[in-house]
Structure formats: structure tokens, C-alpha cells
Amino acid sequence: MSKAHVTTTINGDVVEYLCEPDQSMLEVLRDNLELTGTKEGCATGDCGACSVSLDGRLVCSCLVLGVEAEGKQIETIEGIADGSELHPIQQKFLENAALQCGICTPGFIVATKALLAKNPDPTEEEARYFLAGNLCRCTGYDKIIRAVLDAAAEMRGAAS
Amino acid sequence: MSTNKDYKWVGTSPIRPDGADKVTGKAAFGADKNLPGMLHGKILRSPYGHAKIKSIDTSAAESAPGVLAVMTSKDLPDLASEMGEAGESAVDFRDLSQNILAAGKVLYHGHAVAAVAATSPKLAKQALKLIKVEYEELPVVLEIEDAMADDAPILHENQFTPGGSQDKPSNIAGKMKLPRGDIEKGFAEADVIVEREFTTPTVHQGYIEPHAVTASMSASGHADVWCCTQGAFVVRAMTAKVLNMDVGKVKVTPSEIGGGFGAKTTVYLEPIAVKLSEMSGRPVKMVMDREEVLRATGPTSASVIKIKLGATNDGKLVAAEGTLKYGAGAYKGSPMGPGCMCVFASYEIPNFVVRGFDVVLNKPKVAAYRAPGAPMAAFAMESVMNEMAGKLDLDPIDFRLENAVKEGSVAAYGPKFPAIGFVETLKAAKEHPHYSAPLGKNQGRGVGTGFWFNIGMQSSATLNVNESGSVTLITGSADIGGSRASMALFAAEELGIDYDLITPLVSNTEEAGYCDVTGGSRTTFATGMAVVKASKNLVANMKKRAAKTWGVEVDEVLWQDGQAVPPFSSGKNPMSMAEIAASAAKTGGPLTASASLTAQGAGAGFGVHICDVEVDPETGKTDVIRYTAIQDAGKAIHPAYVEGQYQGGAAQGIGWALNEEYVYNDKGVLQNFGFLDYRMPVANDLPMIDTVIVEVPNPAHPYGVRGVGETPIVPPLAAVAEAVNNAAGVRITDLPISPPRLLAEIDAK
Ligand code: FES
Ligand code: FES
């Protein structure tokens, strides 16, 4: 199988890569591009650790092929902070102790950003349902949900 | 209830030092390590639940494109049966080796049989298909009682029941008995007796990060290993043992770890990766997929537990009998021991007998899971306690208070308890508004309590003072839930300097002093003790330096708020840590201090959980609608992460109670090998989990710390089951309380 040439934009950078036609976006990010902030928990779309945004849509990168990124905009956990300034979601995850081991954290932060882009003022229940595709085994979700609601409030405050 | 009168740093919840890297994706976990020229290793696994391996032919795989090494158990030294330390529990190194690569027989579906290293993961996988294994299928045994039967298929022809027949091999690998008093007399005194049998299924720890390792063997015979583990030193010991190497020739660097809950205290891949690297001369990376994790790592034991309990009409326990059978999986070593020791540990019972059985089955060898053995035991005992309270018409918490162990009680497993907080925790639960809040239709409330010993074991810590007066703090204890923050808080408190001036590191086995696993809820307790001791050594040294500078006696110097204070008579000004560090070259050289210890006196932890559920009588679905976890922490060093332990343990326990179970077919093939149908709680399955931190200081720790990580998974099983009983009027004794099971019970009512 010959490799495919893909031109795409990742975290604002124009990126070109060669990938196998059957390689997942997750494998391309982690293995070909060494963007290892995106995690693999299952590779079957069931844990959300691999969450990225593809043209503004939240996807499991393990279910997207590397070749599908052609001409698209991808945002990964590495692109959430503004340089060395943490995004309010990242800051609130830290302040709320919303990570224990931290393996689920990149996925949750990317998913939370997608949630708040759609719904800047989610209820606790809306946040829980939106984030139901992201597994966390350590925290029981309490502090994660608090961080999400806290970040939403902060971002609404900054926007108004 | 957490008070902070006496301390500046201990008892506060600052942002963790490793936090920024973990929210930006920079933190390197197990699968994030790559080396130049690295190969990829894959494992061929058994398609049978139980079979004899008649032959393995690897020749076609060896000559496949991109393949540089192929190995089987023949490439591992033949080890004699020998028990060794494995984190919290003991392990037989021969079993460990044969679990890593099957020798002669496969004992469960997914058991590793051969391994390949190739230039890409794809080529390695293709090569696995070229390995020809001839099997002779054998009957499988999956249930504990079946495996104990006389005519059961036998897993190990050389395993005999201790104290039983030494001619006929048996699947009962171990037995134990704990007696006290006279149970016949005790039950004769009882006005009410409750007797029930409970079962719990095989469940998995469910960490989100699969096992991963990268290993590189040098031509000089030194192995470099990077992996996600709860204990780099245990990986080193096990890898060296399995490969017959000296521990000094194995260097293990722990990556960040994406959850473990006990199961990352053993090895599966590491010796294989080292061997493949030796055979190929190239670094080898191995990463499990989720299916491999579920089929061949963890899980924890299934159990069958029978409890008989006798009490008088005024609510005094007089007798108890427990029979606890734990499935060990393919090799001996279920948590029978701790299970039996803790089943009656929370109560004063004058007459009891506990009998335990460790039973092998055609399932993966179990690994530790948070308070190993205790959640199953507590499910049974606490369920019976709840039923007994109902029969006696007593409030369930009052009933427990009547019988609770306290300082001076002789624990069911032997020692006398020092100061413990069970009574205080029960009282805090009773006073909590949750306990008396009104309930709606189809709703019910349950309580459950939990006990765990916690452990001490060995730890080391080193402090290096930088020339600016900031400090690098090195330990070898994996940080699985924020322990770097606790370590820095201890050092900040002792040294009297800002938390931000301390950089806590988790280092490798060649640079850190020896530390046992992060397990047994020991890191904040024991490694924390080492940090406190090292800090005290450092302060003593800095006082000496200041005394020298001032020309005064060292015992005239005080250490206050991060500075040395001279005697008033000297007319000198205090010297800050930064000043002492800056002049260190002139006063005796670099400032470093370390401490190593075997921590004694790990304080027992007690928790009480209150659970409200709503049961849908049409579907049998149970929703947890309110939950409160109350637990004695001794002293919470970083309260937010203590709360996190309570919440995370509760969530795992709720999953165990309601959803999680391994489903096998009759050939021993796991049917639910992904997160879709091995269903762990997700965000919308749970409510907020309220917490109360009770603090009854542990007298053996300088700050009063008790371990907190494990106790929280012990109470939920019974608390949830009792809440369901109160909501739906049916008492479920077999977990999980899945909708079909509950619906069938409701319909049968
Ligand atoms: S790795 Fe993609 S959803 Fe789990
Ligand atoms: S913090 Fe460990 S899985 Fe979420």
C-alpha cells in the first residue's frame, strides 16, 4: 500500500504528512507527528481520551482516518493554551483538582471546549450528558464537572 | 471538619506541581516514549480458555518481512517456585514468569504465548499470524464453586490444597482460618440470626491508560526500561528475576501513570520487551490495546461469601461466621488473606470464625484492586448488618455505633487498635443532612461502611537545595493522584518556605532511593514520612551552617519561617534559606539531605457512605441520585485530592454494584472486552459526590496521616444494594444489580 500525502492545518500550523490509508488520525498525531498529548484509551470510540476538534466538530480521533484531515482544521490539546498562557478551561481543571492521574484530561479539556463553544452556560446535567463520551476512572467526575461549570462562568464573564 | 490551625501549608490545596504539563498534553505517559530505531512488539495470545500447548513453530514468523525477534517461554529462564514481594502482596516468581509467557499450558483465553518485534506495529501483527501453535483443548472451569468440586478440571497438576490430600491435585491453592471465642456458645446467646450468601463478579480496575513499555538493552547487558507503573522498583525486581539478571543491571524510569488502582504493581510486558531488545539489538516498544488489557491484565477476584451473624435484641453482636471464597484466576494469590482479615474488623464480636479459600480458575491471574478483597467482604458483611438492623428495628448507624471498634479494641485480625476514627466517622454520617433528607417515590437510602488496614513499607526521599534557596525533592514513589503536591506541602511546612519553591520529582531506580509501590494507600503516609525526616535533617544541617557563620553554638540557633534565627545576644540578623544556600560553599559545601525508612504504624482507615437511589420499576434501572462519602483521613495534607480519592473510590464501587462484570461464554472467552460493554460509570450516571473529611490523627505519623486511597471503594457495594432494597423492596445478594436482574426480582416479588 503506498502512503497518502496529506496537507492539513493542526493547531494553526500548516502540516504535511505521509500516512498509510488505514492509519487513524490518532495514530498519525501520536506516531507520525509526535503530538502525544492526545491519548489512546480504547481505539474503538468508547473513552474519549483521543478527542480532537476537526473543523470545529468534536471527534474521537481514533475513529477518523489520517487521510480525512486533508484540507481541514484540526485542534488538539497542544493547541488549547495561548502560548504559555493556559486557557481558562485548563486553569479551572487545575484549580478544581479535576485530574488525578491525568490521562483523561486532554480529552476532557478538548471536549469541554467544544461544549462551551456550543453552550456557554450549560447546566450540570447538560455538562454531564455532553461529556458522557469521556471516561474518567479516577475522579468520579465531581471535580471535573465543577471545573467545567467554573470555566463556563469565567469565560462568560470575560466575554461580557 | 478539616481544620488548619497549626499549619501554613499542610492542609491547603494548592495547584499540583505537575499540573500544567497534564492539562497541556506535555506530560509523558507510558505510551509516549519513543526511541530512535525502535521496534514494535506484539503478543500472540491463546484462543482457548484452557489448553495444552503441544508445539509452537515460529520459523515462518522469524523470516517474515521486518521481523527482528520472536520469543516464547523457551527464551525465559526456567524459574523455581519462589515467593517474593509484589507491592502489597506476595507473588510466586515461577507463576509470574508463566503468566508473562505460557509454558506448557495456556490457562485462560488471552494468555500470552509468543511475542514478536518488528519494524512497525503492523508488520509485528502480521507476523503473529505466521506463528503455528498446536493446542489440545481442555475443559474450562470459570466458577469458584465448580473449581472446588472433586471432579473439576485441574489447572495445575502440581498444586495441592495445603492440609488436604497431597496425592490428588486441587484448584484450592490456599486456605485460612481466623477464630475467636466459641461460636456455638455465641450463636446460642443470639436472639436474632441472619445468614446469607453473596456473590460478586470478576471486575476490572479499568484504568484508562493501557499498559505500555519501551525497553532498550545495551551491549553491556544493561537494560533501560520506561513504563507506566505504580512502582519502578517492583518492575525492576520482577524484570530482573524473570530474566535472571542482577537488579543493578536494570534501570526502570517510571512515566506518568494513567491510573492503576493496584493493577500496575506487577509486570506483563516489561521482561518481554527487554528480551526482544536483547535479541534484536534494538529498542522495543510494546503497548497493549484495550482488548488485551481486559482479557489478560487485572482483574480482581470474583467471590462467593457467606455470612452468619447473631445479635441480641438490644443490638449487641455476639457471634459471626464467615466463609470467603475468592477466585484467583489462573495462578494462586487471590486477596483471600486481606479479605478474611477485614471482614469482621470493624466490629467487636466476641465469638467468630472466618474461613477463606483461594481458588484458581481459567481467568486471568487477578491483580490488586484498591483494598484488595475488602469490597466483596464488606458487601456481604455490611448487607447483613443492614438486614440485622432492620430485624432489630434499630437505626443502621446506631446499630453500628453499638458495636464499632475503637481505640483499644482487639482487631479481628489480631492487633489492638491505636486511635482510630470509626465512631467519629459514623457520628459524622448520622449528623450529615443527607442522612435525614426526605425521599421521593421509588427512592431508597442505604448506608455501608468500610475498613482498610493501609500499609507502611519502605520509602526514601532526597532534598537538594539550589543556590537560590529553592529545593528539588526526589522520591521514587509514582504520583498516581497528586502525591507530588503532598510531598511538596510536607517539605514546605517543615522548611518554612513557599510551596512554589519546591520542585518535587519522581525519579528512576538509579537516581531515587528505594521506594516500594504507590499502593496500599502508603505514599502520602510513608514517603511523606521520609520527606518530613529528610526535611528535619536538612534544617539541622542549615542550623549548623548558620551557627558556623555566626560563630555561635548550634543549639542556640532556632529555625523559624524558613530562616535561621541567631541568639539575641549575638547581635546578628537572621539568615534566610536563600542566604544559607548562597554561602554554602564556605560553610561545608552543597546542602542536601535524605532519609530512608520502613514506615511503621499505618493507621487504619474507616469510611461510611450514604447512598440514595431511584429505581425504575418498569425497567429495573437504578439511578444514584445522591451520594455522600465520609472518611477518616487522620490528617488531610491536600484536602482536594483527599476528596478526589473518596469520590473516585465511590464511583468505582458504584460501578461494581450496578454495572460492571466480566461475561464469559462456556468456553471461557470473555464476551465484553471493550469499554462499550464493559460499562464503567460515565458522567451522566453519577451525581455530585459529597465528601466529609474526618480527622482523627494517626499517632504513628508526624502529621497524623492515614492512608486514604483504598477505603473509599469498600462501602459502596452494600450502600447501593441497601438503597435498592429500600427503594424497590428486594434484597439483591448477587452483583451487579443490573436492570434485568433487578427487574426479575421485582417481578418475582
Ligand atoms: S481512544 Fe478514541 S475513544 Fe478511546
Ligand atoms: S484522572 Fe485518571 S482517568 Fe481521569
Side-chain angles (χ1 to χ4, degrees):
Chain A
M1 245 183 315
S2 65
K3 289 192 175 179
H5 177 265
V6 176
T7 307
T8 186
T9 305
I10 301 179
N11 300 326
D13 298 344
V14 175
V15 175
E16 289 181 64
Y17 56 80
L18 292 176
C19 71
E20 309 269 353
D22 61 353
Q23 256 190 310
S24 72
M25 191 68 227
L26 175 61
E27 289 170 323
V28 169
L29 289 170
R30 290 182 51 82
D31 302 339
N32 303 23
L33 303 174
E34 293 191 44
L35 288 168
T36 55
T38 305
K39 302 300 178 193
E40 176 180 319
C42 68
T44 52
D46 301 314
C47 78
C50 65
S51 299
V52 302
S53 123
L54 184 71
D55 277 353
R57 200 160 57 89
L58 180 66
V59 295
C60 294
S61 61
C62 68
L63 297 182
V64 176
L65 290 173
V67 292
E68 291 179 72
E70 177 67 39
K72 300 236 160 75
Q73 299 271 344
I74 295 173
E75 186 178 54
T76 70
I77 184 66
E78 287 91 348
I80 303 273
D82 183 4
S84 55
E85 180 128 347
L86 294 180
H87 188 280
I89 298 170
Q90 294 169 316
Q91 188 60 33
K92 291 301 174 189
F93 266 66
L94 291 179
E95 287 171 11
N96 283 278
L99 47 145
Q100 280 177 35
C101 79
I103 193 83
C104 67
T105 310
F108 266 102
I109 287 172
V110 169
T112 301
K113 196 175 168 199
L115 163 66
L116 300 184
K118 262 196 193 154
N119 180 357
D121 191 8
T123 63
E124 179 193 332
E125 196 180 4
E126 286 167 344
R128 285 184 182 277
Y129 273 83
F130 189 91
L131 296 171
N134 289 76
L135 284 175
C136 174
R137 189 60 156 172
C138 297
T139 64
Y141 304 102
D142 182 298
K143 292 186 190 300
I144 292 178
I145 298 299
R146 288 179 201 279
V148 170
L149 300 180
D150 208 2
E154 166 113 355
M155 286 162 68
R156 284 196 309 277
S160 65
Chain B
M1 210 163 292
S2 180
T3 53
N4 214 38
K5 288 192 280 298
D6 307 331
Y7 304 122
K8 175 149 188 240
W9 293 104
V10 159
T12 64
S13 297
I15 289 176
R16 62 198 286 168
D18 52 324
D21 281 355
K22 286 189 171 144
V23 297
T24 52
K26 286 203 177 100
F29 288 81
D32 299 341
K33 177 77 184 176
N34 296 315
L35 290 172
M38 178 177 87
L39 304 177
H40 298 267
K42 292 283 171 201
I43 291 186
L44 181 71
R45 296 182 179 278
S46 166
Y48 298 110
H50 193 190
K52 218 174 253 163
I53 301 174
K54 295 179 75 180
S55 66
I56 307 180
D57 178 359
T58 57
S59 53
E62 279 162 42
S63 53
V67 173
L68 279 92
V70 181
M71 72 179 288
T72 67
S73 66
K74 285 210 180 66
D75 298 294
L76 297 177
D78 219 347
L79 297 182
S81 178
E82 181 199 341
M83 298 307 287
E85 280 298 316
E88 271 189 271
S89 48
V91 65
D92 185 323
F93 287 118
R94 187 181 57 192
D95 293 348
L96 179 71
S97 173
Q98 297 190 355
N99 193 39
I100 289 167
L101 278 171
K105 249 180 143 187
V106 288
L107 296 166
Y108 54 95
H109 180 266
H111 198 162
V113 173
V116 166
T119 50
S120 77
K122 209 182 203 175
L123 290 173
K125 266 192 198 159
Q126 284 169 2
L128 292 182
K129 296 198 186 109
L130 302 173
I131 299 174
K132 291 189 199 76
V133 188
E134 208 187 329
Y135 294 100
E136 180 187 321
E137 209 180 337
L138 298 168
V140 298
V141 58
L142 299 166
E143 301 299 330
I144 293 168
E145 308 271 15
D146 296 346
M148 293 172 76
D150 268 348
D151 57 349
I154 294 293
L155 272 76
H156 304 283
E157 292 300 333
N158 55 1
Q159 179 179 282
F160 304 92
T161 304
S165 158
Q166 298 303 299
D167 303 322
K168 196 172 174 277
S170 159
N171 293 324
I172 303 172
K175 273 187 177 181
M176 70 182 285
K177 189 174 172 186
L178 276 178
R180 175 185 289 173
D182 176 346
I183 61 163
E184 276 184 34
K185 184 176 132 272
F187 280 115
E189 287 166 16
D191 298 310
V192 184
I193 293 175
V194 176
E195 183 171 8
R196 277 193 190 271
E197 186 170 274
F198 300 83
T199 67
T200 65
T202 300
V203 298
H204 198 273
Q205 293 80 353
Y207 33 87
I208 307 301
E209 179 198 37
H211 300 256
V213 58
T214 302
S216 181
M217 185 74 155
S218 80
S220 62
H222 281 79
D224 243 329
V225 180
W226 293 262
C227 63
C228 48
T229 176
Q230 292 175 244
F233 288 90
V234 170
V235 172
R236 180 178 75 162
M238 290 182 169
T239 302
K241 196 79 192 176
V242 169
L243 296 174
N244 206 3
M245 294 170 72
D246 182 81
V247 285
K249 293 232 159 77
V250 181
K251 173 184 178 185
V252 179
T253 304
S255 66
E256 297 304 327
I257 171 171
F261 312 109
K264 287 179 184 162
T265 56
T266 186
V267 296
Y268 301 98
L269 300 175
E270 289 80 355
I272 298 179
V274 170
K275 189 73 196 176
L276 289 172
S277 174
E278 182 190 310
M279 293 166 87
S280 63
R282 305 258 292 262
V284 174
K285 177 171 180 170
M286 302 183 79
V287 182
M288 284 195 196
D289 62 23
R290 178 56 50 186
E291 182 173 343
E292 290 180 286
V293 171
L294 288 170
R295 288 202 193 284
T297 75
T300 190
S301 295
S303 72
V304 177
I305 298 180
K306 195 175 199 172
I307 300 284
K308 181 178 172 187
L309 196 62
T312 57
N313 279 332
D314 57 356
K316 271 279 173 212
L317 293 174
V318 287
E321 190 173 359
T323 307
L324 289 72
K325 300 166 186 165
Y326 289 92
Y331 300 94
K332 65 181 176 279
S334 71
M336 163 191 73
C340 288
M341 284 159 71
C342 70
V343 63
F344 298 142
S346 301
Y347 303 108
E348 291 186 332
I349 309 175
N351 309 288
F352 64 76
V353 61
V354 187
R355 287 186 194 83
F357 297 88
D358 180 24
V359 183
V360 297
L361 306 161
N362 293 118
K363 293 184 181 180
K365 163 72 174 76
V366 298
Y369 182 19
R370 217 168 188 163
M376 310 78 155
F379 170 53
M381 177 60 181
E382 291 296 297
S383 292
V384 169
M385 287 294 289
N386 284 328
E387 187 172 353
M388 181 67 91
K391 290 218 150 101
L392 295 170
D393 205 16
L394 289 172
D395 171 87
I397 292 183
D398 288 343
F399 176 45
R400 287 171 169 90
L401 277 168
E402 185 66 35
N403 296 285
V405 285
K406 45 186 101 49
E407 184 171 355
S409 302
V410 179
Y413 55 94
K416 205 180 249 191
F417 281 118
I420 49 171
F422 191 30
V423 167
E424 290 78 356
T425 307
L426 284 164
K427 286 185 176 156
K430 194 158 186 211
E431 284 156 19
H432 195 282
H434 181 174
Y435 194 61
S436 48
L439 287 162
K441 191 163 173 263
N442 296 322
Q443 295 178 351
R445 175 167 302 140
V447 293
T449 79
F451 158 85
W452 186 245
F453 316 89
N454 300 318
I455 58 170
M457 302 179 71
Q458 304 174 83
S459 283
S460 309
T462 299
L463 298 167
N464 292 325
V465 182
N466 304 314
E467 55 270 39
S468 63
S470 61
V471 173
T472 307
L473 161 54
I474 301 166
T475 77
S477 284
D479 178 355
I480 200 162
S483 59
R484 284 185 187 87
S486 311
M487 297 307 116
L489 286 167
F490 281 126
E493 191 69 49
E494 286 289 327
L495 300 175
I497 61 173
D498 268 17
Y499 169 83
D500 286 339
L501 290 175
I502 296 164
T503 303
L505 302 178
V506 179
S507 193
N508 64 62
T509 55
E510 288 185 351
E511 286 159 18
Y514 186 93
C515 286
D516 276 311
V517 294
T518 291
S521 306
R522 64 174 289 281
T523 295
T524 301
F525 169 73
T527 307
M529 250 186 197
V531 171
V532 169
K533 200 169 160 197
S535 302
K536 289 194 191 297
N537 292 344
L538 180 59
V539 166
N541 190 357
M542 291 190 293
K543 287 203 306 201
K544 253 189 237 158
R545 305 297 183 95
K548 192 166 178 183
T549 307
W550 292 322
V552 303
E553 292 299 316
V554 66
D555 49 16
E556 294 178 284
V557 179
L558 291 177
W559 189 262
Q560 260 170 11
D561 297 329
Q563 48 184 11
V565 181
F568 184 71
S569 59
S570 71
K572 307 277 186 191
N573 289 323
M575 269 177 98
S576 70
M577 204 163 142
E579 288 166 318
I580 296 170
S583 60
K586 286 177 274 174
T587 58
L591 287 163
T592 80
S594 47
S596 289
L597 45 79
T598 298
Q600 306 291 346
F606 290 89
V608 181
H609 289 195
I610 311 170
C611 172
D612 292 358
V613 301
E614 182 166 323
V615 172
D616 180 345
E618 303 295 315
T619 62
K621 181 168 186 291
T622 301
D623 285 316
V624 176
I625 53 172
R626 186 169 180 184
Y627 203 96
T628 306
I630 303 124
Q631 187 181 318
D632 176 18
K635 172 72 194 168
I637 302 305
H638 187 295
Y641 282 118
V642 171
E643 291 167 8
Q645 290 297 320
Y646 294 5
Q647 292 163 336
Q652 284 181 318
I654 291 168
W656 200 338
L658 292 177
N659 295 314
E660 296 177 33
E661 69 179 316
Y662 267 31
V663 179
Y664 282 93
N665 71 9
D666 57 5
K667 296 267 191 197
V669 182
L670 181 66
Q671 303 294 289
N672 53 340
F673 50 83
F675 278 147
L676 185 62
D677 36 19
Y678 184 85
R679 200 176 176 290
M680 310 194 303
V682 300
N684 63 337
D685 289 331
L686 295 173
M688 290 298 186
I689 297 171
D690 203 359
T691 57
V692 178
I693 300 174
V694 175
E695 293 185 322
V696 176
N698 172 9
H701 190 277
Y703 287 85
V705 170
R706 296 172 195 279
V708 297
E710 288 163 295
T711 302
I713 202 174
V714 184
L717 282 57
V720 172
E722 181 64 13
V724 169
N725 176 41
N726 289 329
V730 292
R731 191 170 285 286
I732 305 280
T733 52
D734 303 307
L735 297 184
I737 310 172
S738 55
R741 177 171 279 157
L742 180 55
L743 191 59
E745 293 286 332
I746 291 171
D747 289 346
K749 206 169 44 160

